[in-house]
Amino acid sequence: MYAISFRAIELTASIGIHDFEQAAPQRVLVDLDLVLPARQDGADAISSVFDYDQALAAVKAAAASGHVNLQEKLCEDIIARLSAFDAVQGLEVRTCKPDVYADVAGVGCRMRWIRDGADHLAISELLP
């Protein structure tokens, strides 16, 4: 198994329970770690790996799918989209709203998903 990571994907999303959050979309930062099956052929071709574009598109689609009140819901939506890919054996997603409080760098949520039957030990070693 191996992992690919995205750090600080910057999105604009309609998220939050407060009136000021519902009045306008806000910045959300997303970190993503995907656990994938071991490469078998060693080829240097996109066809031999999980295409990063699919992961980024799934995260962006989740953020653009309409208002959510909670970061927990956004994390769950991202997991639902990415777990639909057979190649994804596990993932961790972290969201952060960096602009909620002036004196806090960000407020976030973190969730982990592992496919049933996947090698849990190997995945736990790969995910931070």
Side-chain angles (χ1 to χ4, degrees), residues 10-126:
E10 188 168 334
L11 307 168
T12 302
S14 179
I15 186 169
I17 61 169
H18 300 291
D19 290 342
F20 71 91
E21 292 177 307
Q22 293 183 12
Q26 60 184 297
R27 280 190 322 142
V28 176
L29 303 176
V30 177
D31 289 343
L32 180 65
D33 295 296
L34 296 173
V35 177
L36 303 158
R39 290 172 24 88
Q40 300 299 315
D41 62 10
D44 189 18
I46 191 67
S47 60
S48 70
V49 296
F50 182 77
D51 186 347
Y52 303 169
D53 291 347
Q54 296 175 89
L56 185 57
V59 171
K60 288 180 176 181
S65 66
H67 183 82
V68 294
N69 290 324
L70 305 173
Q71 287 189 70
E72 290 84 349
K73 177 63 174 151
L74 179 57
C75 284
E76 290 166 352
D77 290 351
I78 292 169
I79 289 170
R81 289 171 186 274
L82 289 168
S83 64
F85 292 104
D86 290 338
V88 176
Q89 298 301 297
L91 66 92
E92 183 171 282
V93 61
R94 291 173 296 281
T95 59
C96 177
K97 296 191 316 185
D99 303 320
V100 175
Y101 302 109
D103 57 347
V104 176
V107 177
C109 178
R110 180 171 90 170
M111 289 187 181
R112 186 176 283 182
W113 172 87
I114 298 173
R115 184 175 303 286
D116 289 341
D119 182 345
H120 293 257
L121 179 60
I123 289 174
S124 66
E125 292 172 352
L126 287 169

Side-chain angles (χ1 to χ4, degrees), residues 2-13:
Y2 73 102
I4 59 171
S5 299
F6 289 84
R7 293 292 172 258
I9 302 167
E10 188 168 334
L11 307 168
T12 302

